[in-house]
């Protein structure tokens, strides 16, 4: 059934995965809060979704087409991914804190690594690839914006997010989404995107929150500038984007 939908309407297939991912992970967070241990239900949900998606891609020889391969562009032409490394420090800008027990920290870390994998494959590997055949520009915009707006779910999924910080997260997540999609466009690989996305989220387990609203706004501006600026560099760096969608028709 999954393969039939994928072949018939890849955009609908991607949207179905986005809806399923958002709904199931939100339910997992709410259920985890109900049992009193953060991510205790969310992690099994994330592992199951990751396994199903990975098995589907491998079984149908779609791993490389959807970015699970080595980058096809040298690191030197990607500025050695320095802006990505700079982004990874953001959760430590205001210091380091240990606020969870060992078990909850482990659950959180592994869940965030799964989130990096799932969101990159769904938003970049599936949605972006499905749309880029009709319009590359539209695919870049929609993949980035939907990724950013999706973080508004943190207001209702039991994570305890407040309105203003969450809206700031939507802003820098959109810029990060643009960076990730351009990394994929230029390199033909999601490996760096998956690793950096997962690590960025995982490091939030040890972060101290910005002490004031002004500090939160400043952090948002800095993150948006780093990731958005790198995305613009990648857009202007020359060379044709790696077109994974053309490979799909050769299957």
């Amino acid at each position: 059934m999954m393969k039939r939908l994928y072949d018939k309407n890849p955009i609908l297939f991607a949207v179905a995965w986005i809806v399923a991912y958002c709904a199931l992970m939100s339910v997992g967070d709410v259920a985890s809060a109900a049992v009193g241990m953060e991510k205790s239900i969310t992690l099994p949900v994330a592992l199951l979704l990751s396994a199903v998606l990975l098995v589907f891609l491998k079984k149908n020889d779609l791993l490389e087409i959807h970015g699970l391969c080595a980058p096809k562009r040298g690191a030197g032409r990607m500025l050695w991914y320095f802006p990505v490394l700079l982004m990874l420090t953001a959760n430590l800008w205001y210091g380091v804190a240990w606020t969870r027990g060992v078990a909850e920290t482990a659950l959180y870390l592994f869940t965030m690594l799964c989130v990096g994998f799932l969101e990159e494959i769904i938003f970049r590997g599936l949605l972006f690839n499905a749309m880029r055949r009709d319009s590359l520009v539209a695919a870049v915009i929609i993949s980035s914006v939907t990724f950013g707006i999706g973080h508004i779910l943190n207001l209702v999924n039991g994570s305890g997010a407040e309105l203003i910080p969450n809206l700031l997260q939507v802003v820098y997540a959109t810029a990060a989404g643009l960076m990730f999609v351009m990394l994929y466009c230029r390199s033909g690989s999601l490996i760096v995107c998956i690793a950096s996305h997962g690590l960025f989220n995982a490091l939030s387990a040890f972060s101290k929150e910005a002490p004031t609203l002004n500090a939160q706004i400043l952090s948002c501006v800095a993150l948006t500038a780093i990731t958005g600026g790198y995305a613009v560099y990648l857009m202007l760096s020359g060379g044709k984007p790696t077109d994974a969608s053309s490979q799909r028709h050769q299957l």
Side-chain angles (χ1 to χ4, degrees):
M1 182 177 177
M2 284 179 61
K3 185 62 164 64
R4 286 200 300 271
L5 179 59
Y6 176 87
D7 289 334
K8 183 177 181 180
N9 194 329
I11 293 179
L12 182 59
F13 181 83
V15 170
W17 263 98
I18 291 172
V19 171
Y21 166 76
C22 291
L24 292 174
M25 293 292 281
S26 294
V27 169
D29 280 340
V30 171
S32 297
V35 301
M37 180 169 286
E38 186 183 19
K39 306 300 181 186
S40 58
I41 307 300
T42 315
L43 178 57
V45 170
L47 288 171
L48 178 62
L49 290 173
S50 299
V52 169
L53 188 52
L54 188 59
V55 168
F56 170 78
L57 295 176
K58 183 174 177 58
K59 180 180 178 181
N60 294 286
D61 296 322
L62 298 171
L63 292 176
E64 183 172 356
I65 291 171
H66 291 294
L68 293 176
C69 59
K72 298 177 175 62
R73 195 179 196 191
R77 297 184 65 194
M78 310 291 281
L79 293 182
W80 301 100
Y81 303 107
F82 178 75
V84 176
L85 297 175
L86 189 58
M87 178 198 74
L88 290 178
T89 68
N91 278 316
L92 308 178
W93 287 349
Y94 296 99
V96 177
W98 185 285
T99 59
R100 298 171 176 84
V102 174
E104 284 194 336
T105 298
L107 287 168
Y108 187 91
L109 292 176
F110 284 113
T111 300
M112 291 302 103
L113 293 175
C114 288
V115 165
F117 171 79
L118 285 165
E119 291 188 355
E120 290 307 311
I121 294 296
I122 293 170
F123 285 96
R124 255 65 70 181
L126 296 180
L127 181 62
F128 172 72
N129 264 342
M131 297 187 65
R132 71 188 296 183
R133 290 173 294 169
D134 297 323
S135 171
L136 180 60
V137 173
V140 168
I141 293 172
I142 292 174
S143 174
S144 305
V145 172
T146 54
F147 174 71
I149 292 176
H151 288 76
I152 205 77
L153 288 173
N154 289 333
L155 287 174
V156 296
N157 65 3
S159 64
E162 298 179 358
L163 179 60
I164 299 302
N166 185 244
L167 292 178
L168 293 173
Q169 183 187 31
V170 168
V171 172
Y172 69 71
T174 301
L178 180 61
M179 178 191 74
F180 286 137
V181 80
M182 290 311 305
L183 280 169
Y184 181 39
C185 249
R186 289 305 185 195
S187 70
S189 171
L190 284 175
I191 299 302
V192 172
C193 302
I194 291 169
S196 57
H197 189 162
L199 285 172
F200 179 82
N201 287 352
L203 286 171
S204 67
F206 309 107
S207 67
K208 283 186 177 180
E209 290 192 11
T212 65
L213 178 59
N214 286 339
Q216 292 175 6
I217 293 172
L218 182 61
S219 296
C220 174
V221 170
L223 269 173
T224 302
I226 292 167
T227 56
Y230 188 35
V232 171
Y233 166 79
L234 293 171
M235 289 179 190
L236 302 176
S237 63
K240 293 182 179 180
T242 302
D243 189 357
S245 61
S246 65
Q247 299 174 26
R248 179 178 184 274
H249 296 296
Q250 297 172 9
L251 290 178

